[in-house]
Amino acid sequence: MTDRPSPFHYRRPTLRPAFIPCLALLLLTACHPETAMNQERAAAEADVAQGGRGLAKLNPSPRKAYELVLRLKDAPGDFAVVEGVAQYDVTNEDQCGHIEPATGTAARITSQEPVELRKVAEDEYRGTLYVDRMLDEDYYGRGICTWAFSGAGAMLKATGAEGETRFLTFVDAKPLTEGGAHTLYYPDAAYPRAALAANYPATGKADPADYVAELQGKLFTLSLSASEVTQ
């Protein structure tokens, strides 16, 4: 697993085209499709700069499905909020992505799409993710943008109240799709809210020995795995 910021540390901003409606533009100049297109692209580029996917679209017919499984063990209480996410990154932004004017470099294009996790047992949740969820297409007039699934994760909160700890886990694509379970340990003391920090992002540790001695006997685990769904 690589050192990757959790996708739950932020939310991808919703793309809101920042163009003036044609009716209003008529007061100033003729409303041409090219004008609207340029303004839509400018809004998309701003969205990419904030971590969004810009003009990118979801694949209307994804086929490569995996069942994502989240298992809890020895949890100190219930979790009313259990959310899944799948992350996708463009692999060739140099050939297809928005170029930052200040640096001349291509902006990284990423997309984080929700994965519904359904409770199937007291300590188990399951959902379906598609590794081909994004649509490869020429979005910026510079070539086909090629997307790749880069990993999946989950976020849990005790009740969903403001200030509660966010228990986070994320697994990169390769170890996840190879079928192994990724298990992390979390301190009971952070549930439902960490004493010293509101909205604390608990990312867990792979080895319980990495916690101080007084916490090592009071830990619970989150395990994330996936298996390919055969058609």
Side-chain angles (χ1 to χ4, degrees), residues 135-207:
L135 186 65
D136 293 349
E137 193 170 287
D138 185 352
Y139 296 106
Y140 293 90
R142 298 179 54 241
I144 301 296
C145 291
T146 303
W147 289 89
F149 170 64
S150 54
M155 185 275 289
L156 297 82
K157 294 182 71 173
T159 69
E162 182 66 27
E164 287 183 339
T165 298
R166 293 173 292 135
F167 294 95
L168 308 168
T169 183
F170 190 88
V171 187
D172 286 338
K174 185 176 180 180
L176 187 66
T177 56
E178 287 178 349
H182 176 72
T183 300
L184 292 176
Y185 293 80
Y186 302 81
D188 293 352
Y191 177 95
R193 176 172 175 159
L196 300 179
N199 298 308
Y200 177 65
T203 54
K205 298 181 184 296
D207 188 346

Side-chain angles (χ1 to χ4, degrees), residues 63-69 126-132 149 173-180 225-231:
R63 295 181 178 276
K64 299 177 182 178
Y66 280 77
E67 184 176 45
L68 186 66
V69 180
R126 292 176 179 256
T128 301
L129 66 84
Y130 292 90
V131 299
D132 56 344
F149 170 64
K174 185 176 180 180
L176 187 66
T177 56
E178 287 178 349
S225 62
S227 58
E228 188 170 4
V229 177
T230 56
Q231 301 294 330

